[in-house]
Amino acid sequence: MKPMSRLWILILLGLMAAFVICVAPMLGMDFIPLHTLLTAPDSLAASVLRDIRLSRVLTAFCVGSALALSGAAFQSMFRNPLATPFTLGVASGAAFGSAMYIRLGSKILPAGVNGVALAAFAGSLLAIGLVYGLTRLRRGFSTATLLLAGVAVSFFFSSLIIFVQYISGLGHSFRIMRWMMGSVETAGFAPVLGLLPFVLPGAAILFLLCRELNLLALGDDLAASRGVDVNRVKQLVFFAASLMVGGVVAVCGPIGFVGMMAPHACRMLLGHDHRFLLPGALLAGGIFLVVCDTVARTMAAPLEIPVGVITALLGGPFFLWIMLTRSDRAGR
């Protein structure tokens, strides 16, 4: 595909993102004339639209963009379209941290501080540290060792979560299970502002590594022959993507499959060049999660379905489709 064609696709995705951000907050509520919003910004309707609906849409877009960027980076590093941002155990570590906080009911934090989010982020940092430490024990940073360490850490924390749920009461178990479904039910712009310190630096690092990611996707030996410090680049990608995922999971819980579906769809549209793939994944991931959250919010109103349930319902068949089509190509 010609670069100009891919540029037009990115422009179209940008226009779609702007349209979704503008329209999604107004879905599911009565029509509000524009002059009412301008002349009465402190009215109840304007406050709901601005402080609840718009902030929720922006949070969903930020979360979807971060997950899609991380997924694209991991898929290139592992050279596997089935890799996800949660492959290396960050989500399991965060879930364990939140489960422990919910179970213990710590009251040492001052009022207004989200203890579950802090505990979840601490758990994600613990998972990142364990994976990195286990990988470094093999005197290198090979992809296979990193993947095995991530899977082992993920299973370890998953087992601990089951244990915490088993020894918890019904109320605590329900809160743990509800948090693990993933949701962007937020009020105010604090969650968006809290995500930016993790998403912006991580995204900047990945964008600066576009050339290296292109070469890593072709193989470590080829990348090294072109002057790429393979271990250093992998470490940068690992920490940048994992910290983004840790911040996202701490705020919204583990929302699965976004980081697998959005990058894969963008590869079909934009090809494998990360100069176009990463911006496309950023936009497509944000659009996808905003649409899923809008469906989750309006489909069974006044009840709200956790958005992680919607993405899982879509991601399961998508995962099978990728697996079967790859098997068919391998067989030929």
Side-chain angles (χ1 to χ4, degrees):
M1 183 182 294
K2 295 180 179 180
M4 188 57 66
S5 300
R6 290 182 286 191
L7 182 60
W8 279 111
I9 292 176
L10 288 179
I11 293 174
L12 179 60
L13 285 174
L15 294 175
M16 290 176 60
F19 175 78
V20 167
I21 291 174
C22 292
V23 172
M26 295 182 287
L27 296 178
M29 64 187 304
D30 295 335
F31 175 74
I32 305 173
L34 181 60
H35 68 84
T36 302
L37 296 178
L38 296 177
T39 58
D42 296 328
S43 63
L44 178 60
S47 298
V48 169
L49 183 63
R50 180 184 62 249
D51 299 329
I52 297 179
R53 294 293 179 81
L54 181 59
S55 64
R56 177 168 177 163
V57 167
L58 291 177
T59 301
F61 189 88
C62 187
V63 169
S65 298
L67 292 176
L69 274 177
S70 302
F74 281 141
Q75 288 171 11
S76 298
M77 188 168 68
F78 292 121
R79 299 193 294 278
N80 190 333
L82 299 180
T84 73
F86 302 149
T87 299
L88 300 183
V90 177
S92 297
F96 172 69
S98 67
M100 286 296 295
Y101 185 88
I102 292 171
R103 173 63 180 84
L104 297 177
S106 176
K107 300 180 180 179
I108 61 175
L109 296 176
V113 177
N114 191 337
V116 175
L118 288 178
F121 186 67
S124 67
L125 291 180
L126 177 60
I128 292 171
L130 285 174
V131 172
Y132 180 76
L134 291 172
T135 306
R136 294 295 295 172
L137 286 177
R138 295 295 300 270
R139 296 183 179 180
F141 211 77
S142 69
T143 302
T145 304
L146 182 64
L147 180 61
L148 291 174
V151 172
V153 169
S154 180
F155 279 124
F156 173 71
F157 281 120
S158 297
S159 301
L160 292 179
I161 293 167
I162 294 174
F163 174 74
V164 172
Q165 284 187 294
Y166 181 77
I167 63 175
S168 300
L170 183 61
H172 288 154
S173 294
F174 177 79
R175 287 185 61 194
I176 294 171
M177 182 184 68
R178 180 64 181 80
W179 186 89
M180 292 179 63
M181 290 180 182
S183 175
V184 290
E185 297 176 11
T186 59
F189 294 91
V192 180
L193 298 176
L195 285 172
L196 292 181
F198 303 102
V199 175
L200 291 181
I205 291 172
L206 294 182
F207 277 112
L208 291 173
L209 294 175
C210 283
R211 173 183 174 272
E212 288 78 3
L213 286 172
N214 286 338
L215 294 173
L216 280 180
L218 299 175
D220 292 354
D221 293 336
L222 178 61
S225 68
R226 297 296 180 90
V228 176
D229 188 342
V230 174
N231 286 339
R232 177 176 172 273
V233 170
K234 286 182 178 180
Q235 291 174 14
L236 286 174
V237 172
F238 167 69
F239 281 111
S242 296
L243 286 175
M244 277 200 298
V245 174
V248 165
V249 175
V251 173
C252 301
I255 301 175
F257 293 102
V258 179
M260 182 186 69
M261 289 188 285
H264 190 80
C266 287
R267 278 193 177 86
M268 297 172 64
L269 291 173
L270 298 166
H272 297 271
D273 189 343
H274 286 77
R275 294 176 300 170
F276 300 96
L277 176 60
L278 291 184
L282 183 150
L283 294 170
I287 293 169
F288 175 71
L289 193 58
V290 170
V291 172
C292 288
D293 183 58
T294 303
V295 172
R297 177 171 55 82
T298 59
M299 184 171 64
L303 298 177
E304 290 190 6
I305 301 172
V307 68
V309 175
I310 302 296
T311 59
L313 289 173
L314 296 174
F318 190 87
F319 185 95
L320 292 175
W321 175 72
I322 295 177
M323 184 182 67
L324 293 175
T325 54
R326 281 176 59 83
S327 298
D328 291 341
R329 290 171 188 163
R332 295 187 188 123

